[in-house]
Structure formats: structure tokens, C-alpha cells
Amino acid sequence: MSAYQNLHSAFRKIAYYQHCLTILEWDQEVMMPGGGAEERANAIAEMSALEHSAMNQPEIQTWLDVCAEADLTADEAANVREMRRAWQNSNLMPEELVREQAVANALCQQQWTTLRPQNDWAGFSTSFTRVVELAREQARIRQQALNTPTPYDAMLGLYSCGDSASLIDETFAQLKAILPEMINTVCERQNKTTRVNVRGEFPVAQQQQLSHNIAATLGFDFNAGRLDISAHPFSTGNPGDQRITTRYRTDDFLDALFGTVHETGHASYEAGLPKAWRGQPLGLARNMSIHESQSLFFEKHIGTTDAFCALLAKQVQTLFSADVSLSADELKQAVCWVEPGLIRVSADELSYPLHIIVRHEIESALINGDMEVSDIPDAWNQKMQQYLGLNTQGNNKDGCMQDVHWPSGAFGYFPSYTLGAVNAAQLRAAMETKIGDLNALIAANEIAQITQWLHDNIWQWGSRLESQELMQRATGKPTNAAALITHFERQYGL
Amino acid sequence: MSAYQNLHSAFRKIAYYQHCLTILEWDQEVMMPGGGAEERANAIAEMSALEHSAMNQPEIQTWLDVCAEADLTADEAANVREMRRAWQNSNLMPEELVREQAVANALCQQQWTTLRPQNDWAGFSTSFTRVVELAREQARIRQQALNTPTPYDAMLGLYSCGDSASLIDETFAQLKAILPEMINTVCERQNKTTRVNVRGEFPVAQQQQLSHNIAATLGFDFNAGRLDISAHPFSTGNPGDQRITTRYRTDDFLDALFGTVHETGHASYEAGLPKAWRGQPLGLARNMSIHESQSLFFEKHIGTTDAFCALLAKQVQTLFSADVSLSADELKQAVCWVEPGLIRVSADELSYPLHIIVRHEIESALINGDMEVSDIPDAWNQKMQQYLGLNTQGNNKDGCMQDVHWPSGAFGYFPSYTLGAVNAAQLRAAMETKIGDLNALIAANEIAQITQWLHDNIWQWGSRLESQELMQRATGKPTNAAALITHFERQYGL
Ligand SMILES: [Zn+2]
Ligand SMILES: [Zn+2]
């Protein structure tokens, strides 16, 4: 076998191990009774170790080096590029540091679960300081090996490879410059209107039917996927088998429903990846910023059109009891209501980027060594005041302690949420110049045209192009905040 | 590490691979959408190969040989005995034959799915002849290595290790001598009574509730297990996480319900295995004859008592619509009705052993080379006539082609069903001398005493004892048909 063939079959095997892990973890969140927890945790650890050692067998490096000189097709060369990337991510770190991080991050995340509700920053910061120290070491090693401009850039590569810190800074600067005022304008205007009450009693069975119908309308194929319930909505799966979850509150149907719409976006991307490259790194989704652009395209673009709200109003009328009657306009008002608050996960579309910018500014300074853990609460409060006019002094549980990302060591993840929003708006603008107005297409029952465009321009490419090449090809330019700003202006009549 | 410690950790690892396979296969039957089939089949094949190569690494044999001379505790020595057994089952066969069998059995089983409904014996027998040839080769190799009296004995060891062909022949001879006449007597008496109609309209949701309640009553712990729906009822799982399934027909609730009772017996055995030996061969269930004795104890002993039928009648009254009203006596009549028929899986308790004896006599002759494939249809018809008074001439689809076992190469499996019935009755008799009448215990709400006795005498032993040592210890004698015959006499007032 050639070096390329060896790599091909080694990565195919690794993908089967990942298939097992995907199902073990999905089952753990969605199906497994509590009694199975201990044995399952051990089985997952065993499979992860197996995957790790398959990726770190010494032959991989040899084969990668031979392939660098080999005569490969462009697709094969791109596959090798992605193999090397995956191999580096797994292989760069000394085993000792990997183990230390696993222990420190697990401990900190575990303490966070109890210390956050107690608002105990002092207790938390001890174990969190260790997490940051080790993450800085990780960033330093990655920076040296990958030759990135900053340590933080090296961390970004784990989630949004191809999107540099300078691109993010530029994009976020554009948003920071206009969002605070935009939010004020929208809130002042909202004050003059009456907010419709969309709360009520919504039985879970009907909500499940609603989520099922809407997912199907958006193209989710239930012969190649499932929709289940879990504590936190997520999307996972294997080729031909996408698994999304949501959770239901009986007093509010919009929460679960838009969770489903969001996860359907993620699942559609996965389902549309190139079949010819199944089980190879080239066949995987590009990165988190592109992934989130697909879920946010479904949630924030398709999901907020008049036509989609009309379709939704009809479903709501059929499924829930006669006294629930909401017009398309009323639903749209609820979905687009702007109201700055302390919590990221319940933030509206305009506030959300500012939540991310607070986190990005702090975590990049932290990783680059320009800020210490003890500075975080004040920095957080100061930035929240400045961007959203909200005070978090003494309220760290709803401030810098609110997210699981940092205690679990995931520095560099946050920007992908807002890069996703930016990419989604940019893709919508490009799509509309090609196939026409999104709202009109949905009104004309042509959602399939929309998903076809996304398939042709994003999904079918897998990891063939770098993220900015992909955006350039699909939209004519790299990631840029202009389209998102235009979208906000149009959405809120500014 | 000592050789024993090396074996301990190698088998612990193999158990984690089996954990993955268990969940991949459960998910495939119960949860997976059709689109995932191809990738899942490949992932399962990959994991099976991994398990196989972990079992066949050359060090295993060395460690086993060192352990044969080592100073081990009795438990450790028994664990090594079971390790060697598992290793031999996996290792005895030449890779080439394993591969050939995998292909031939899969092909024959696949053809069987379409040729059985067409009653096409001629088409079927071509690929089936190859299956038999390879199974004979397998039996010959196993016989030589394990030094068993006959080739068929060597096949039995795969499913009911410790139960010899001569023990089976003796047991079956006792049953064959009395059952045909017993069935005649019971049927004649039944002719003089009116058969109660238990068919009706039973919505699936209520049937699920009924199955759930009854499983819980029998001690199934839903914090350490699940009950789901699948095409064929089965029981599987991992430590702390037992998974049983059933299927629902809306015109008959007894079918699904007694399926659940049966699978709850299997699951209770698994849940009661010794926790200290989790992940080691010593911690596994003894063999199929013991396993089936537990499911049949639940189904045929607990399930047919007056007290259980009374408990059931109450549940039926609460759960189904008012016009379904069945007394305990009526339920018992339905559950114990005797009516010889062509199909094994729907056979009553008295006919069932005769179905097994037909198969056992044919498959043992086939594997030992005393019968050829072309002889099967006539032999089947002749034996069905003789034992059950039924004709299968020209009706092979409901005769010798009805089971999946033979086309899939599982020769030697059938006897465990009837050995299980024999063991169950023998365990009941022994239990009743210790803790009193089964019916009285259930009437007194003391099912926990019954399961405690099974736990102490069967479940907690795992594979510590050989099957006949286990029966001897629990009942004072090896497997013997006397108790089952007594049970039949009592059950049918003979
Ligand atoms: Zn998302
Ligand atoms: Zn069974």
C-alpha cells in the first residue's frame, strides 16, 4: 500500500472509533439510565484512549511526510492537509500536559457546578488559575509548533481553524462600534409598543409534534435522523444518521422550537457533507464558525422571516388548544424582541455579539498573558457596563462564572458563535442575489431551493477549502460584519 | 505485572469493546433510522475485529499457560478457566474457516429471509448445504481440540457449556416418553370447557404502561435499565444498565406482556451478577441453559400462578377500557391453553419441548454426519407426526425452514430452551422446599423473597461454578426432567 492508502485506512478506522464514541455519548445523554454511568464513563475513556493511540501511532508521521512529496490529486492533497491538522492537534501536546489538563479541567468544571450557584468566585478562582496556567502552556506549545502570531491564535485553531485573531478583532470592532446604540434605538421603539404574551400551557406531546413537523419542513430527513429530548439541546450523529435533541418547557413553546430549528441547521450541514469522503478528514464539516453559520442561518434568517412565522402560526393553531391563537406578527415580535440581560444563552440577536466580545477580549488577554485571573471580575463588569449598560459587580454567577467553556479549558471557542452569525448573514446576502428573496422563497414553499444553495456552496465542500476560501467562493469576500449589520438594519427597520 | 494481572486487564479491555458493541447493536435494533445502516454495519465489523484481535494477541496464550502453574485464589483460578474457555472459542478456529463461515452463514440467512416465505426448500438447501459442511468442519476441529465425545458435543459447548449431549439425550428421553400422551389428555379435557376470548382492542400506550408496571413489580429497576420496542423481543445491556424490548400487537396484550415477563427474567439475572467481577469472564452469566431457566422461571412459574394472574387482572381492569374485564381464572386459562401447532415460537408449554426435541435429534445427526441436508424435510415431517400428530409434508416454511438458527449456523443452540425449562422447574421445586409455596409468596406480596433466592443460588455465582455444579448446589441434583414433569402434572391437574 502507498503511504496515502495507509493514511486513508488509518483515518477510516479512527472514524469508526469516533462513530462508537458518538453513539456512546448520545446514548449517555438521551437514553442511558443512571445506573449505567460508571461503566459507560470507563468505556468512553477506553475508546478515547484507543482513538488517541490510533492517531499517535508513529507511522502516521512517516506517511504524512511521504505524502508531502507524493503525486496526489488536489482532493487527496487536501485530505492529507486535514489529516496533518488532526494529527497535529492530537500529537503536538506532551502526554504529561494532556493528562494534567484532563485532571485540572475536570476538577475545575466539577467545582464550577457547585460554586457557580453559590457565587463563590474566591473558591472557584483557585482551581481555575491552574486551568489557565495549563491552557497558556498549551497555547505556547501550539504557537511555537504552528507558528501563529499569538498564543491565542493557536487556541482559535482548535475550533475555528483558518479564522485568525486579527480577522476576529476587525469583525468584532465593526460590531462593537454600532451595536450599543442600535440596541438603545430598538429598545426605545419597543417601549412604545405592547409586548405580546406568548406564555401559556403547552403540553409536551404537542410541542414534540410541532418540532417534528417544523424540522421536516426544513428538510430534516427522519429516515436518516432522530429528534429526542435531552437536558441541553445538541446535535450529533454519524453518516446517514443525524441526531438532534431539544428540551421542552410547558409554559413556553418557542424555546424548544427554535432550539430544534437551530439544531436542524447543524444536522443539515452534517447530512449534506460529501458522501464520497465519508470517514475521511476531508469529509468533515469545515470548522465551528461555519457550523454555527448554518444553525444560525436556519434560526435567525429562515426562522425570523414573515413567511416562516406565518407557517408557524398555522401549525400552532392546529396543534394547541383553541385558546392559543397567535398571529404571524405576534410570533415575529416574540422571536425578535430585544432586551439586554446578563445571561448569554438567553440573549437576543443584537445583544449576543456583545456578550461574545466581552468573553473574547478577556480570554485573548488571559491566554496572551496580558490579564490575570484575579482581574476577570472587574474587567467583566466594566465591559458589560460599557457594551450593554449592565452591572455584574458582586454577581459573578451571572457574570464571568456563567459559562462552562472556561472551567473546562475551552479558550478560543466563543468567537465562533458570532463569526457564525456574521457568516450566516453574509451567506444570506449572497444567496439572495442568486436565488432571490429568502422570505419570498419560503412563502412560495421553496425551502428546498434555499437548502440546495447551502448544499452547493457550503455542505458539499466538507473540509476541501479553508474557511475563508469557502466564504470567498460562496460570497465573493472573506468574513466581514457588513452583511450582519445590514441584516440588523433590515430586521429592525433602522 | 503478573501474568494474571495482564490477563485481568486484557479481558477488562475486551469487556469495554463488548460494551460498545452492545450499545451499537441495541441502538441499531431499537433507535437507529434506516439511513445509518451501512455505516453502522461497518463500525460493528470494525469493533468486532478489534475485539477478536484483542482476544487473539499471542500473549494471551502465554499468560494462560503461566497462570496454570501460578498460585491463585479459587476465584482467580475459576476466572482463568473462563478466560481460557473464551479464548479457545475465539482461537481454535483457523482464520480462513471463520471468514468462510461468516460469508456462507450471512448469505444463507439472507436467502432464507426471502426463500422461507416462498416455501422454496430446493433453493434454500443449496446454500444451506454449505453452511452445514462448514459447521461440521468447525465441530470436528473443536471436538479434536476439546476432546469431546461427539462433534455435536463440541457445538453445544458454544451455548450451554457444561451440559453434555448425553445429559440432554437422557433429559429429552424422559420428556418424549410422557408429553404426547399428556398433551392428548389436556386437549381432551379442554374440549369440554369454553375457551375465553382474550382478543380485543388494546392501545399501545396502555400496553406499555402495563409492561412497565409488571416489570417493576417483578423487580426490574428502571434506574438501571430500560424497556423499549423492537421487531423481536430481546434482552441485552451492560453492568448497571439492562435493556429489554418487547413488541405490541393492538389485538392481543398477552403476547407483549409475557414477552416482557420473560425478558425481565433474563435482565434480572444479568443485573444480579457479581459486581466484584464486573468486566471479567467470571462475572458473566453461566450459559444459555441457565439464562433461559431464569426467563422461563419468570414467565412459566411466577407468570402462571393464580396470584400473578390476579395481580394482572387488576392491572388490566385499571388500564384498559371498561369493557375489557378478565378474571384471574380467565387469564390463567389463556396463558396455560394447550394447542399443538406447527410453529415453535408460538407453542404452548407442553408442546414446546417436543418442538425442541425434533430439532435436537435432527441437528445432532446432521453435525455428527448421520444425516444429510436432503433428509431433513422427511425426518422433520415424520417426527412432527410422531410427537405432535402434525403433518408438514410440502410445508417446509412452517416446518424445517421456520427458524433462523440453522441458516445462521447456530447448531447446538436449541437444546438450551428446553434445558432452561427443565432447570426452571427444578429450581422452583428446590426453592419451594426452602421458602415455601411460590403462589403464596406472590399473593403475600413477597416477590422480593423469590428473587432473593434466585440471586443467592444463581445470579450472584456468575460463572464461578460449572452449570451442573451450580444446579447441584442449588437443587441437590444435576439437571433432570422429573421436576418439570411434576410441574406439568400440577399445572394441568394430571
Ligand atoms: Zn449551535
Ligand atoms: Zn429467552
Side-chain angles (χ1 to χ4, degrees):
Chain A
M1 285 211 291
S2 71
Y4 181 77
Q5 285 168 326
N6 281 318
L7 281 174
H8 193 277
S9 72
F11 276 86
R12 176 68 271 204
K13 194 171 276 206
I14 289 168
Y16 287 130
Y17 300 159
Q18 285 163 345
H19 179 121
C20 295
L21 280 165
T22 295
I23 293 299
L24 292 179
E25 285 163 358
W26 175 86
D27 183 86
Q28 179 173 254
E29 299 303 320
V30 181
M31 294 292 160
M32 190 185 75
E38 189 189 332
E39 197 73 4
R40 179 63 51 85
N42 292 334
I44 287 175
E46 187 66 44
M47 285 306 297
S48 303
L50 184 71
E51 189 204 336
H52 183 82
S53 73
M55 182 69 96
N56 288 271
Q57 53 183 308
E59 296 85 348
I60 300 258
Q61 182 164 18
T62 317
W63 294 330
L64 285 170
D65 290 345
V66 172
C67 279
E69 315 287 310
D71 188 25
L72 301 175
T73 68
D75 278 357
E76 287 168 349
N79 195 23
V80 171
R81 178 192 70 211
E82 296 305 320
M83 288 168 170
R84 181 176 285 276
R85 186 173 253 152
W87 173 78
Q88 281 178 324
N89 284 343
S90 171
N91 206 272
L92 278 179
M93 307 290 295
E95 294 277 343
E96 180 57 24
L97 180 56
V98 170
R99 246 194 310 277
E100 276 189 278
Q101 278 197 297
V103 172
N105 298 355
L107 177 71
C108 184
Q109 191 181 330
Q110 189 195 319
Q111 294 191 339
W112 170 80
T113 345
T114 54
L115 297 179
R116 185 200 164 195
Q118 296 165 13
N119 197 34
D120 183 356
W121 169 259
F124 173 72
S125 63
T126 317
S127 67
F128 183 55
T129 300
R130 183 73 188 137
V131 168
V132 172
E133 276 168 16
L134 293 168
R136 281 174 176 169
E137 175 68 4
Q138 178 188 8
R140 202 189 51 73
I141 293 170
R142 290 181 55 84
Q143 182 195 14
Q144 226 159 29
L146 303 171
N147 200 21
T148 59
T150 65
Y152 184 63
D153 272 281
M155 296 301 281
L156 288 171
L158 287 169
Y159 310 106
S160 294
C161 61
D163 302 336
S164 65
S166 68
L167 174 98
I168 294 170
D169 288 338
E170 235 169 85
T171 311
F172 287 6
Q174 288 176 275
L175 293 170
K176 207 162 73 164
I178 58 108
L179 280 176
E181 205 193 309
M182 211 177 237
I183 290 170
N184 281 338
T185 312
V186 172
C187 287
E188 269 168 37
R189 181 169 332 142
Q190 278 179 179
N191 282 339
K192 292 176 203 139
T193 66
T194 317
R195 186 173 184 179
V196 179
N197 179 22
V198 292
R199 293 290 167 91
E201 257 303 300
F202 307 102
V204 169
Q206 277 85 323
Q207 285 198 57
Q208 283 187 293
Q209 190 60 56
L210 177 63
S211 270
H212 187 284
N213 294 351
I214 291 293
T217 301
L218 293 170
F220 189 88
D221 177 1
F222 281 91
N223 293 317
R226 294 181 52 92
L227 166 61
D228 294 280
I229 299 178
S230 67
H232 301 282
F234 68 96
S235 157
T236 185
N238 289 310
D241 181 8
Q242 299 311 316
R243 311 237 171 150
I244 62 177
T245 70
T246 191
R247 61 182 160 200
Y248 300 97
R249 303 168 33 168
T250 52
D251 64 337
D252 175 8
F253 71 93
L254 286 172
D255 189 43
L257 178 70
F258 275 82
T260 300
V261 172
H262 182 96
E263 301 304 335
T264 300
H266 282 306
S268 300
Y269 183 11
E270 292 286 328
L273 290 169
K275 287 193 182 43
W277 290 96
R278 264 194 189 181
Q280 293 298 314
L282 192 62
L284 296 175
R286 178 60 278 178
N287 70 14
M288 293 307 302
S289 306
I290 299 296
H291 228 307
E292 201 64 13
S293 79
Q294 300 307 294
S295 52
L296 291 173
F297 192 101
F298 277 56
E299 181 187 353
K300 300 299 185 191
H301 295 276
I302 296 177
T304 62
T305 55
D306 294 343
F308 184 84
C309 289
L311 187 152
L312 197 52
K314 226 184 202 163
Q315 287 271 337
V316 167
Q317 198 160 32
T318 317
L319 284 167
F320 296 114
S321 79
D323 53 295
V324 183
S325 176
L326 290 161
S327 70
D329 284 352
E330 289 171 327
L331 283 169
K332 178 151 180 166
Q333 191 213 52
V335 165
C336 297
W337 194 262
V338 173
E339 193 174 30
L342 296 177
I343 304 301
R344 174 183 61 85
V345 295
S346 43
D348 60 75
E349 197 181 10
L350 293 184
S351 313
Y352 203 103
L354 295 170
H355 283 274
I356 294 303
I357 291 168
V358 168
R359 286 156 178 77
H360 164 66
E361 290 177 350
I362 293 174
E363 71 175 13
S364 58
L366 207 56
I367 294 299
N368 289 337
D370 302 329
M371 190 189 281
E372 295 307 320
V373 168
S374 55
D375 304 328
I376 297 177
D378 283 347
W380 189 283
N381 180 43
Q382 180 257 315
K383 286 173 193 294
M384 283 297 284
Q385 295 265 13
Q386 191 184 334
Y387 306 155
L388 283 160
L390 296 168
N391 191 330
T392 62
Q393 193 147 32
N395 182 10
N396 293 314
K397 79 175 194 311
D398 298 328
C400 59
M401 285 174 76
Q402 72 182 265
D403 300 299
V404 70
H405 301 62
W406 289 350
S408 63
F411 299 94
Y413 190 106
F414 282 123
S416 62
Y417 292 114
T418 290
L419 287 175
V422 167
N423 289 339
Q426 192 166 323
L427 287 166
R428 176 183 181 172
M431 174 191 286
E432 289 190 322
T433 66
K434 299 282 178 190
I435 62 170
D437 182 60
L438 192 68
N439 184 50
L441 286 163
I442 298 167
N445 229 335
E446 292 288 359
I447 290 180
Q449 272 197 51
I450 301 165
T451 49
Q452 187 65 50
W453 190 91
L454 291 171
H455 176 270
D456 294 347
N457 286 277
I458 303 291
W459 306 345
Q460 68 156 343
W461 288 91
S463 288
R464 179 67 182 76
L465 305 174
E466 293 284 359
S467 61
Q468 292 306 317
E469 291 171 352
L470 186 64
M471 287 303 293
Q472 177 80 42
R473 201 199 148 280
T475 70
K477 42 184 174 288
T479 298
N480 181 293
L484 181 60
I485 293 170
T486 308
H487 163 67
F488 288 154
E489 288 166 351
R490 188 158 71 157
Q491 184 88 297
Y492 297 95
L494 299 167
Chain B
M1 285 213 291
S2 70
Y4 180 76
Q5 285 169 325
N6 280 319
L7 282 174
H8 194 278
S9 73
F11 276 86
R12 176 67 272 205
K13 196 171 276 203
I14 289 168
Y16 288 130
Y17 299 159
Q18 286 163 343
H19 179 122
C20 294
L21 280 164
T22 294
I23 293 299
L24 291 179
E25 285 162 358
W26 175 85
D27 182 88
Q28 180 173 257
E29 298 305 318
V30 181
M31 295 291 160
M32 191 185 75
E38 188 188 333
E39 195 73 4
R40 178 63 51 85
N42 293 334
I44 287 175
E46 186 66 44
M47 285 305 298
S48 304
L50 184 71
E51 190 204 335
H52 183 83
S53 74
M55 183 69 95
N56 289 274
Q57 53 183 309
E59 295 86 347
I60 300 258
Q61 182 164 18
T62 317
W63 294 329
L64 285 170
D65 291 344
V66 172
C67 280
E69 313 287 310
D71 188 23
L72 301 175
T73 67
D75 278 357
E76 287 168 349
N79 195 25
V80 171
R81 178 193 68 211
E82 297 304 320
M83 287 169 169
R84 181 175 287 275
R85 186 172 255 150
W87 172 78
Q88 280 178 325
N89 284 343
S90 171
N91 208 271
L92 279 178
M93 307 289 296
E95 295 277 342
E96 180 56 24
L97 181 56
V98 171
R99 246 193 312 276
E100 275 189 280
Q101 278 196 296
V103 173
N105 299 354
L107 177 71
C108 185
Q109 190 180 331
Q110 188 196 319
Q111 294 190 340
W112 170 79
T113 344
T114 54
L115 296 180
R116 185 199 164 196
Q118 296 164 15
N119 196 33
D120 182 356
W121 169 259
F124 173 73
S125 63
T126 316
S127 66
F128 184 56
T129 300
R130 182 74 187 134
V131 167
V132 172
E133 277 169 14
L134 292 168
R136 282 176 176 168
E137 175 69 3
Q138 177 187 10
R140 201 188 51 73
I141 292 171
R142 289 181 57 83
Q143 183 195 13
Q144 225 157 31
L146 302 171
N147 199 21
T148 60
T150 65
Y152 184 63
D153 272 281
M155 297 302 280
L156 288 170
L158 288 169
Y159 310 105
S160 295
C161 59
D163 302 336
S164 66
S166 68
L167 174 98
I168 293 170
D169 288 338
E170 233 169 89
T171 311
F172 287 7
Q174 289 176 273
L175 293 170
K176 209 163 72 164
I178 58 111
L179 280 176
E181 205 194 311
M182 212 178 238
I183 292 170
N184 282 339
T185 312
V186 172
C187 287
E188 270 169 34
R189 182 166 337 140
Q190 277 178 179
N191 282 339
K192 293 175 203 138
T193 65
T194 316
R195 185 172 186 179
V196 179
N197 180 21
V198 291
R199 293 291 167 90
E201 257 302 300
F202 308 102
V204 169
Q206 276 85 324
Q207 286 199 56
Q208 283 186 294
Q209 190 61 55
L210 178 62
S211 270
H212 187 283
N213 294 351
I214 291 294
T217 300
L218 293 170
F220 188 89
D221 176 1
F222 282 91
N223 293 316
R226 295 180 53 91
L227 165 61
D228 294 280
I229 299 177
S230 68
H232 301 283
F234 68 97
S235 157
T236 185
N238 289 310
D241 181 6
Q242 300 310 316
R243 310 233 171 154
I244 62 178
T245 69
T246 191
R247 61 181 161 200
Y248 300 97
R249 304 168 32 168
T250 53
D251 64 337
D252 175 7
F253 72 93
L254 287 172
D255 189 42
L257 179 70
F258 276 82
T260 299
V261 172
H262 182 96
E263 301 305 334
T264 300
H266 282 306
S268 300
Y269 184 12
E270 291 286 328
L273 291 169
K275 287 193 182 45
W277 291 95
R278 263 193 191 181
Q280 293 299 314
L282 192 61
L284 296 176
R286 179 58 280 176
N287 70 14
M288 292 309 302
S289 306
I290 300 295
H291 229 308
E292 200 65 12
S293 78
Q294 300 307 293
S295 53
L296 291 173
F297 192 101
F298 277 56
E299 182 187 352
K300 299 299 184 193
H301 295 276
I302 297 176
T304 62
T305 55
D306 294 342
F308 184 86
C309 289
L311 188 153
L312 197 53
K314 226 184 201 165
Q315 287 270 338
V316 168
Q317 197 161 32
T318 317
L319 284 166
F320 297 114
S321 80
D323 53 294
V324 182
S325 176
L326 291 161
S327 70
D329 284 351
E330 290 171 328
L331 283 169
K332 179 153 179 165
Q333 191 212 53
V335 166
C336 297
W337 196 262
V338 174
E339 193 174 31
L342 296 177
I343 304 300
R344 174 184 61 86
V345 295
S346 43
D348 60 76
E349 200 181 7
L350 293 183
S351 313
Y352 203 103
L354 296 170
H355 283 273
I356 294 303
I357 291 169
V358 169
R359 286 155 178 78
H360 165 67
E361 290 176 350
I362 293 174
E363 71 175 12
S364 58
L366 207 56
I367 294 298
N368 290 335
D370 301 329
M371 190 188 282
E372 294 307 321
V373 168
S374 56
D375 304 328
I376 297 177
D378 283 346
W380 190 282
N381 180 43
Q382 179 258 315
K383 287 173 193 292
M384 283 298 283
Q385 296 265 15
Q386 191 183 335
Y387 306 155
L388 283 159
L390 296 168
N391 191 330
T392 61
Q393 193 146 34
N395 182 11
N396 293 316
K397 79 177 191 313
D398 298 327
C400 61
M401 285 174 78
Q402 72 184 266
D403 300 299
V404 71
H405 302 62
W406 290 349
S408 62
F411 299 95
Y413 190 107
F414 282 123
S416 63
Y417 292 114
T418 289
L419 287 176
V422 168
N423 289 339
Q426 193 166 324
L427 287 167
R428 177 184 181 171
M431 173 190 287
E432 289 190 322
T433 67
K434 298 283 179 191
I435 61 169
D437 181 60
L438 192 67
N439 183 50
L441 286 163
I442 298 167
N445 227 334
E446 292 288 359
I447 290 180
Q449 273 198 50
I450 301 166
T451 49
Q452 186 65 47
W453 190 91
L454 292 171
H455 175 270
D456 295 348
N457 286 278
I458 302 292
W459 307 345
Q460 68 157 344
W461 289 91
S463 288
R464 179 66 182 76
L465 304 174
E466 293 284 359
S467 62
Q468 291 306 318
E469 292 171 350
L470 185 65
M471 287 303 294
Q472 178 79 43
R473 201 200 148 280
T475 70
K477 41 184 172 289
T479 298
N480 180 293
L484 182 60
I485 293 170
T486 308
H487 163 67
F488 288 154
E489 288 166 350
R490 189 158 70 158
Q491 184 90 297
Y492 298 95
L494 300 166

